[in-house]
Amino acid sequence: MSIQNPLKMSRGKQIASLICLFIMFFNRFFPPMFGLNEIGTSVLCVFFPTLFLLLFVDLVWPAIACVFAFAVSGLYTFGGAVAASFGHNILWLVIFSGMVISVLDETGVIRRIALWFISRPFARKNPWLLVTMLFLATLLIGSVSDPTALILVMTVLTKEIVQAMGGKQGDKLGTLLMIGVLMIDAVSTGITPIGHPIPIMLMEMFKGLYEVDFLKLTIFGYIIGLLLLVMLVLIMRFVFKLDLTPLKNFDPTEMYESLPPMTRRAKISVLIYGLVILFWLTPGILKYILPDVAAFVNGLSTTAPVALGVVAMCVITVDGEPIMNIQRGVTKGAPWAASFTVGIALLLGGSLNIEGAGITDALAAAGSSLGNIPPVLFVIVICIVCVVITTFVSNTLTATLIATVCISLLSSGIITGVHVGALVACICVVDSEAIAAATGSAFGAIVAGDGWVKPKEQLLYGGVLALGEAILVSTVGYFIATLII
Amino acid sequence: MKRWEKILIPVCLFLMFFNRFFPPMFGLNATGTSVIFLFVPTMVLLLTVDMIWPALAGILAFAVSGVYTFTDAVSRSLGSNIFWLVALSGMVISVLGETGVIRRVALWFISRPIVHKSPWFLVAMLFLATLVIGSVTDPTALILIMSVLTEEICTAVGQEKGSRMGMLMMVGVLIMDGISTGITPIGHPVPILVMGLFKDIIEIDFFRFTVAGYVIGLLMMGALLLAMRFLFKMDVTPLKNFNATSMYKELGPMTKRAKWSVAIYGCVVALWLLPSLLQRVLPEVAGFINDMSITAPLAAAIVAMCLIRVDGKPLMDIEKAFTKGAPWSACFIVGIALLLGGSLSNPEAGIVDALTKAGESLGVLPPLIFVIVILLLDNVLTNVSSDTLTATLMATITVALVGSGIISGINIPALSVILCVMNSSACATPPASAFSAIVAGSGWVKPKELLTYAGGFSLIEALLLATAGYFIVGWIV
């Protein structure tokens, strides 16, 4: 997720901001437009300018303006708009997850696990196995943690490997390994809802059409994640013609063994986070054995386990210090800006379905002339469009945009025959693939700013990989998802 | 973590999370019993252990006990309008604090020509500046500036740390700083929280609260000056030759940034006060502004502060405002306070009904006694624990007792004003409040002196508020 610098605002942006704000705040005086009634017109007059501001101007203040605009336009009460955005469960899920993961991050456990992976004895047999293990480590760690924290650790590790073998910044080997790690880092964020805001947000937004199960989404995610890893290795080997001979004699065992023993603090943090994950996954398993318990845990919502994790980290002390310093967790660990975008995305997504707005009906009337589009074609188009947009703008906003389009088309009956659950799973994966440009995501920006990958190389290699991913996910992935979800 | 905490925390958490397996108690139904076992342990943890995580645990426990769904519990606490009001006003006020405008206004007050007539006028103007600035801003930001200013004044007239005059002036500024937080709901969480908690019984008008608050504030200032003069026998002769004019002139012109910030915050305050004034002239406009809720003007101010740029930089750096300006721990306490307060008066819990029954045998308590008892209790509690929690406790007790008819004949708006003033006078011990801790840490006032003078005055204050204050406010609101 890219956080644009609010200190840099051109005159053009300022004028655009004023026009957008005017449309957002004064639409109650506009006549009905676009074949919609007054409510529908108001919804669109808040929806589009907000999206525009979020995409092009800033990620935080337009969110606050939007909440206000919904109240001024009379679509929600102010309290209602606040509750549906800043008071939304999912916003707090993002905040609490950020707090818990930041504690985990501080303990150095990510680097430890990554080193464990690449120091397995069989990885020494062939450099391709080593690279595969490096990617696998990224995939597995990333599937349960924050991609930005992870990419910081993984880029350092990749550099250390390349430098140990006499490589340097600018070598093709280094560039391609970085791109590979970046791609898998992005994939890992989309494959599970564990600690990842976007899949959870998408599950929430599509709830009215299809309830996606947490566990099933995770299982599908790991399968598609491994397939994408194979695709990446094959592309590296046969398309990009990566030459791994320098890595032949690389032995990471020493790096792993030189790590100090794991602290008690780290062990307890991992344990607590492990329990949180277990909590998230159990309802899917317990459904068949203990339906009452499963329903109870489900009733607590996905936010409760991680809130419990925060409480546990504050209560449990090691050497007289709690595992989490709550003041620090709230100010440094909690991703306030990111969570605001999520909150506002949920509000915007929900606004199109406001009772009496009639937007879905109007779409249905307009779309009936289109005839039936084959579902698979629809999924492919959506995935490719999603990858292109997410490369340049915030992942959360891309997901919001794609989800609202899909929900409108599906619920108005313009598109039929699509397995909604499978579609959601595919969008989750491709939406996080913001790797080809620095502006698409924080992890994309980190790799771009690192100097090992030039912007042109990032666009070329990242673009090829992202496009390949979109095609694989929307065809093979979609098919597998229909079987699992 | 101390030994007693190791026992207290598990016990409280057990009561909070496992009460669904308890049999109904205290003559209440299952929900009512659960509410009691959520309310009391959460309060105990908040008061004794930490201010944030017990709030989270409380929200979770409400969901686990089945009193609310988790989503409901979140939107009633962390998603409540008032939670965000506190967060956003902290952000706006932090911008104001950076511009140096607080010191400027304070210096303006003490450099008026009238102060040259008598040193007591200087002291009075210093207190008045604290009262007036504090009535629209954050007491912690203010005390940092006022304690430095007081120190400068004392040092300029040859007083050092340990001098009686310096100590008493510090205590006086601290007391006024506390009072100023309670007299208006402008940017002050506690009055807003109290108004929110009393909402089910009566809607308190923002504007009238403010007017009554200023009257009470001035009254208390008078009482403080008299106490300083005749009770504490402060000797102000060293101040005779003090002249603040040069200090004020040194400031130079106000920056453009400061002017914009003040103008925007001024608009927010105006929007808060306007609905009550416009009610008679333009009822529709007043209704519209009222419907927007008191959080909306702040939201608008933040948008404006992000958009308006001076020298290429916006007035507010939103990232910084979020991490540094927003008072998250205060927000969490306010959030949980709303959740806890609301749960007690939830009709399903039947607590108010049970109280009504229990109270029938008690007969009706005289209102005046009740007001005095509540204020004295509040005075003691607020001086040893969090202001917000004390206010929650007092307000919920009052709501329960008044709602059940055990106490009648109370003027709730009047009570809420004096309760807020009393509640924010948390100056007698260092842990009572952030502003008190700052003064205690300044080296000018020893903890024992704080207890004697600030504690002594707070007793006078409690009695004055409960009697004269209650009646005067009763006329206004």
Side-chain angles (χ1 to χ4, degrees):
Chain A
M1 194 165 298
S2 69
I3 305 301
Q4 284 133 1
N5 185 356
L7 303 185
K8 284 184 202 148
M9 198 200 255
S10 67
R11 182 129 301 248
K13 275 186 185 175
Q14 240 178 347
I15 295 168
S17 303
L18 289 178
I19 295 173
C20 285
L21 288 174
F22 176 79
I23 300 173
M24 286 161 73
F25 283 94
F26 293 93
N27 58 53
R28 54 160 63 203
F29 305 112
F30 294 0
M33 281 182 266
F34 322 114
L36 294 168
N37 60 17
E38 274 170 25
I39 303 176
T41 311
S42 276
V43 169
L44 293 187
C45 286
V46 177
F47 186 94
F48 285 110
T50 306
L51 206 60
F52 178 86
L53 289 173
L54 286 169
L55 288 174
F56 301 113
V57 182
D58 190 88
L59 278 174
V60 183
W61 70 256
I64 298 173
C66 169
V67 170
F68 192 18
F70 271 118
V72 173
S73 321
L75 296 168
Y76 289 100
T77 62
F78 192 82
V82 168
S85 53
F86 304 149
H88 201 290
N89 226 349
I90 307 285
L91 177 134
W92 290 99
L93 174 77
V94 177
I95 289 180
F96 297 149
S97 303
M99 288 164 71
V100 168
I101 291 176
S102 77
V103 168
L104 221 60
D105 188 28
E106 279 169 20
T107 59
V109 75
I110 294 180
R111 186 177 162 87
R112 178 178 295 271
I113 299 174
L115 279 175
W116 183 87
F117 268 93
I118 60 166
S119 63
R120 288 312 84 208
F122 70 87
R124 249 170 293 159
K125 285 187 190 151
N126 178 330
W128 280 103
L129 283 176
L130 175 78
V131 170
T132 307
M133 286 307 270
L134 182 72
F135 293 163
L136 187 64
T138 316
L139 184 73
L140 294 184
I141 304 171
S143 68
V144 295
S145 79
D146 176 59
T148 313
L150 178 61
I151 198 76
L152 287 169
V153 175
M154 294 313 287
T155 48
V156 171
L157 189 61
T158 310
K159 272 189 251 177
E160 283 172 79
I161 295 175
V162 175
Q163 279 161 346
M165 293 290 94
K168 58 180 190 311
Q169 189 172 331
D171 288 357
K172 191 170 172 188
L173 174 69
T175 308
L176 283 176
L177 281 184
M178 280 286 187
I179 292 271
V181 167
L182 172 63
M183 175 198 166
I184 291 294
D185 184 64
V187 168
S188 74
T189 318
I191 60 170
T192 75
I194 300 168
H196 301 142
I198 291 173
I200 290 181
M201 191 184 91
L202 286 170
M203 284 161 78
E204 180 78 19
M205 290 176 90
F206 278 96
K207 219 175 181 179
L209 290 175
Y210 196 97
E211 289 253 8
V212 183
D213 184 80
F214 202 101
L215 180 69
K216 286 180 182 167
L217 185 63
T218 306
I219 293 175
F220 163 74
Y222 281 114
I223 294 174
I224 191 75
L226 290 173
L227 282 179
L228 288 169
L229 193 151
V230 172
M231 180 196 91
L232 171 68
V233 173
L234 291 177
I235 291 182
M236 285 280 172
R237 174 83 183 75
F238 297 106
V239 182
F240 298 160
K241 307 226 185 295
L242 175 65
D243 178 14
L244 288 183
T245 28
L247 292 185
K248 229 169 197 169
N249 299 314
F250 180 68
D251 182 7
T253 326
E254 204 186 317
M255 281 166 88
Y256 180 62
E257 278 168 3
S258 65
L259 285 173
M262 208 167 157
T263 60
R264 228 176 121 207
R265 187 171 280 277
K267 281 182 198 158
I268 297 175
S269 313
V270 172
L271 184 72
I272 291 176
Y273 189 49
L275 287 174
V276 170
I277 296 176
L278 204 65
F279 240 111
W280 276 331
L281 297 175
T282 38
I285 303 168
L286 286 182
K287 211 155 50 181
Y288 306 102
I289 320 164
L290 295 162
D292 285 346
V293 178
F296 175 73
V297 176
N298 241 346
L300 290 184
S301 92
T302 25
T303 313
V306 68
L308 198 61
V310 172
V311 173
M313 283 184 165
C314 291
V315 173
I316 297 170
T317 54
V318 174
D319 309 325
E321 288 265 323
I323 306 247
M324 179 190 287
N325 175 338
I326 186 87
Q327 284 289 351
R328 212 166 133 204
V330 169
T331 51
K332 298 237 168 109
W336 289 106
S339 64
F340 260 49
T341 320
V342 170
I344 214 64
L346 290 163
L347 181 66
L348 281 179
S351 72
L352 292 185
N353 303 321
I354 286 181
E355 220 175 300
I359 293 171
T360 328
D361 296 341
L363 256 180
S368 53
S369 56
L370 274 175
N372 256 350
I373 298 171
V376 181
L377 184 65
F378 175 71
V379 176
I380 294 175
V381 170
I382 284 289
C383 285
I384 291 177
V385 170
C386 184
V387 151
V388 172
I389 301 178
T390 199
T391 302
F392 301 103
V393 302
S394 143
N395 299 354
T396 318
L397 292 175
T398 310
T400 314
L401 194 67
I402 296 289
T404 38
V405 169
C406 287
I407 292 170
S408 310
L409 292 176
L410 291 168
S411 55
S412 61
I414 296 181
I415 303 292
T416 50
V418 173
H419 188 297
V420 179
L423 176 68
V424 174
C426 293
I427 297 175
C428 289
V429 180
V430 290
D431 181 72
S432 60
E433 206 52 27
I435 57 170
T439 47
S441 58
F443 37 93
I446 288 169
V447 170
D450 197 61
W452 281 58
V453 180
K454 295 192 193 81
K456 228 169 106 186
E457 291 168 335
Q458 191 172 6
L459 189 64
L460 176 67
Y461 297 124
V464 169
L465 289 171
L467 214 60
E469 179 180 335
I471 292 165
L472 185 74
V473 169
S474 57
T475 51
V476 181
Y478 176 71
F479 176 70
I480 298 173
T482 54
L483 299 177
I484 297 175
I485 292 172
Chain B
M1 197 183 282
K2 293 163 204 117
R3 182 174 287 264
W4 58 267
E5 285 184 342
K6 280 192 181 148
I7 301 164
L8 184 72
I9 294 173
V11 170
C12 286
L13 290 178
F14 175 78
L15 293 177
M16 287 160 70
F17 283 93
F18 292 93
N19 57 50
R20 57 158 56 201
F21 306 111
F22 296 178
M25 280 181 257
F26 321 115
L28 294 168
N29 60 18
T31 312
T33 312
S34 280
V35 167
I36 298 287
F37 281 114
L38 289 164
F39 188 92
V40 179
T42 309
M43 265 312 205
V44 169
L45 286 177
L46 284 168
L47 288 170
T48 57
V49 182
D50 190 272
M51 308 278 254
I52 302 185
W53 71 256
L56 277 184
I59 293 168
L60 261 174
F62 267 98
V64 172
S65 332
V67 175
Y68 294 119
T69 64
F70 187 78
T71 321
D72 237 12
V74 168
S75 69
R76 279 164 189 269
S77 53
L78 309 181
S80 93
N81 225 343
I82 298 188
F83 177 99
W84 289 101
L85 174 79
V86 176
L88 299 185
S89 66
M91 289 165 72
V92 170
I93 290 176
S94 77
V95 169
L96 217 62
E98 280 170 18
T99 59
V101 75
I102 295 179
R103 187 179 160 88
R104 177 178 296 271
V105 179
L107 278 174
W108 181 88
F109 267 93
I110 60 165
S111 62
R112 289 311 86 206
I114 188 176
V115 303
H116 300 303
K117 286 193 184 148
S118 152
W120 279 107
F121 278 122
L122 176 70
V123 175
M125 285 308 266
L126 185 69
F127 290 174
L128 186 64
T130 316
L131 184 74
V132 173
I133 305 172
S135 69
V136 293
T137 172
D138 176 61
T140 314
L142 178 61
I143 198 74
L144 284 169
I145 290 161
M146 293 312 291
S147 60
V148 170
L149 189 62
T150 312
E151 197 171 330
E152 283 172 46
I153 297 174
C154 292
T155 327
V157 296
Q159 301 290 306
E160 281 166 17
K161 280 184 192 179
S163 85
R164 196 177 142 81
M165 190 196 86
M167 181 271 290
L168 282 174
M169 282 196 25
M170 279 285 182
V171 170
V173 167
L174 171 64
I175 290 173
M176 287 323 293
D177 186 64
I179 289 174
S180 74
T181 320
I183 62 170
T184 76
I186 300 168
H188 300 141
V190 169
I192 289 169
L193 178 70
V194 168
M195 285 163 77
L197 290 169
F198 279 122
K199 211 171 167 186
D200 290 339
I201 302 185
I202 190 163
E203 288 261 3
I204 301 168
D205 185 83
F206 199 101
F207 181 70
R208 290 193 184 170
F209 187 113
T210 306
V211 172
Y214 278 117
V215 173
I216 286 292
L218 289 173
L219 199 73
M220 290 302 128
M221 195 185 109
L224 178 64
L225 283 170
L226 289 176
M228 287 280 172
R229 173 83 183 75
F230 298 107
L231 197 62
F232 305 153
K233 304 219 189 302
M234 177 160 90
D235 178 15
V236 291
T237 28
L239 290 178
K240 232 170 197 165
N241 299 317
F242 180 74
N243 190 342
T245 324
S246 64
M247 280 167 89
Y248 181 62
K249 281 192 179 145
E250 266 170 31
L251 282 174
M254 208 167 157
T255 61
K256 217 171 147 194
R257 205 174 234 338
K259 282 182 196 158
W260 270 112
S261 310
V262 172
I264 292 174
Y265 189 54
C267 290
V268 172
V269 176
L271 278 174
W272 277 332
L273 298 174
L274 268 181
S276 318
L277 295 175
L278 288 182
Q279 230 158 31
R280 291 192 195 121
V281 202
L282 293 163
E284 277 173 25
V285 178
F288 177 75
I289 299 177
N290 247 342
D291 282 348
M292 290 293 104
S293 94
I294 44 178
T295 313
L298 284 169
I302 288 182
V303 174
M305 284 181 162
C306 289
L307 268 179
I308 295 170
R309 295 181 307 160
V310 175
D311 309 327
K313 273 169 88 187
L315 295 175
M316 176 186 279
D317 174 351
I318 188 110
E319 288 280 315
K320 197 172 143 200
F322 255 109
T323 50
K324 300 234 169 110
W328 294 115
S329 41
C331 294
F332 276 90
I333 301 176
V334 167
I336 193 71
L338 289 164
L339 183 65
L340 288 175
S343 72
L344 278 189
S345 43
N346 181 0
E348 263 175 55
I351 293 171
V352 176
D353 292 341
L355 264 177
T356 315
K357 264 191 214 141
E360 272 164 11
S361 55
L362 272 176
V364 172
L365 257 164
L368 191 62
I369 304 277
F370 174 74
V371 172
I372 294 176
V373 170
I374 279 283
L375 279 204
L376 285 176
L377 204 58
D378 184 76
N379 184 17
V380 174
L381 279 180
T382 196
N383 273 313
V384 290
S385 73
S386 147
D387 303 358
T388 320
L389 291 174
T390 312
T392 313
L393 199 63
M394 293 303 140
T396 39
I397 291 176
T398 311
V399 170
L401 292 178
V402 172
S404 61
I406 295 184
I407 307 287
S408 60
I410 304 272
N411 183 341
I412 294 282
L415 176 65
S416 70
V417 175
I418 56 171
L419 182 66
C420 288
V421 175
M422 187 74 257
N423 191 70
S424 50
S425 302
C427 314
T429 65
S433 58
F435 40 93
S436 165
I438 289 168
V439 168
S442 73
W444 285 79
V445 184
K446 295 191 192 79
K448 214 175 127 190
E449 292 166 336
L450 204 57
L451 190 64
T452 316
Y453 296 105
F457 184 75
S458 76
L459 276 181
I460 301 174
E461 198 187 329
L463 293 175
L464 262 177
L465 282 172
T467 51
Y470 179 67
F471 288 115
I472 295 173
V473 175
W475 287 326
I476 301 171
V477 290

